[in-house]
């Protein structure tokens, strides 16, 4: 039955969603949990797998989703031409074990040619900005190892949020 399927999906995905500060705050707030259940029921959140060395997204590609790394490791290669845009960002130095509130990247950095490479691990969020605005990626994300991700559909998220906001 549909109701049991939605409840099961909610039990599976809510712990992943609440790794991010927005969803964690929302989960403990007095706000109705119905919109998140509707979002999950509408297929707004899905599991996604990558093989090692498989690309998740490329620089300047449209950001249509937010991603949570559940298992595995990835590399985020910030292109040289975008470094100035993000160099003052406080998220640049956040540990990989927490989600970034406004970035495509986090973790420790290394140089590769003129590009900065971020190592991304379990618990890292990517592309949150796609939930709030039209977004183009400022780098390329590639799986270092086989990865399991949770993917939030940004358009469905905005649609659900617009229905509940005053």
């Amino acid at each position: 039955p549909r109701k049991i399927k939605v409840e099961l999906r909610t039990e599976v995905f809510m712990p992943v969603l609440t790794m991010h500060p927005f969803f964690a705050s929302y989960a403990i707030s007095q706000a109705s949990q119905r919109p998140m259940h509707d979002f999950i029921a509408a297929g707004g959140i899905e599991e996604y797998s990558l093989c090692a060395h498989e690309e998740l997204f490329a620089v300047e590609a449209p950001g249509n989703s937010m991603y949570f790394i559940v298992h595995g490791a990835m590399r985020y290669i910030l292109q040289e031409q975008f470094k100035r845009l993000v160099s003052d960002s406080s998220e640049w130095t956040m540990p990989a074990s927490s989600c970034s509130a406004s970035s495509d990247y986090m973790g420790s950095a290394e140089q590769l040619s003129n590009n900065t490479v971020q190592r991304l691990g379990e618990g890292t969020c990517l592309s949150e900005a796609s939930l709030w605005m039209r977004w183009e990626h400022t780098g390329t994300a590639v799986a270092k190892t086989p990865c399991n991700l949770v993917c939030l559909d940004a358009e469905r998220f905005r649609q659900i949020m617009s229905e509940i906001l005053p």
Side-chain angles (χ1 to χ4, degrees):
R2 183 168 167 33
K3 183 178 178 179
I4 292 173
K5 181 180 177 184
V6 171
E7 287 177 18
L8 180 60
R9 288 175 54 84
T10 300
E11 289 294 318
V12 168
F13 291 124
M14 284 306 278
V16 175
L17 285 175
T18 56
M19 291 189 309
H20 187 277
F22 171 79
F23 295 105
S25 296
Y26 186 85
I28 61 172
S29 74
Q30 298 298 318
S32 169
Q33 299 300 304
R34 179 91 178 142
M36 289 311 301
H37 289 263
D38 290 349
F39 178 68
I40 292 169
I45 184 168
E46 297 293 335
E47 293 177 287
Y48 193 76
S49 296
L50 294 172
C51 297
H53 311 291
E54 187 175 353
E55 184 177 276
L56 178 62
F57 55 76
V59 65
E60 297 182 344
N64 299 320
S65 301
M66 177 180 177
Y67 304 94
F68 295 80
I69 301 175
V70 177
H71 181 73
M74 299 188 73
R75 290 181 354 154
Y76 180 84
I77 305 154
L78 178 66
Q79 300 299 306
E80 176 67 27
Q81 68 266 29
F82 295 108
K83 275 187 192 174
R84 208 177 85 221
L85 297 175
V86 297
S87 64
D88 296 329
S89 173
S90 62
E91 286 84 14
W92 186 253
T93 58
M94 287 180 71
S97 61
S98 62
C99 284
S100 168
S102 63
S103 67
D104 244 357
Y105 55 85
M106 60 192 347
S108 59
E110 63 184 69
Q111 287 296 122
L112 179 67
S113 301
N114 290 326
N115 301 317
T116 299
V117 178
Q118 294 292 316
R119 294 184 183 115
L120 310 174
E122 296 172 11
T124 304
C125 303
L126 294 94
S127 305
E128 186 225 354
S130 66
L131 297 182
W132 312 113
M133 66 181 111
R134 287 196 174 128
W135 180 253
E136 286 186 2
H137 296 292
T138 56
T140 301
V142 178
K144 285 181 68 173
T145 65
C147 291
N148 294 324
L149 308 163
V150 168
C151 173
L152 269 72
D153 182 288
E155 188 168 328
R156 286 188 184 169
F157 176 80
R158 287 190 299 270
Q159 178 185 9
I160 296 287
M161 292 305 288
S162 69
E163 291 171 4
I164 64 163
L165 294 176

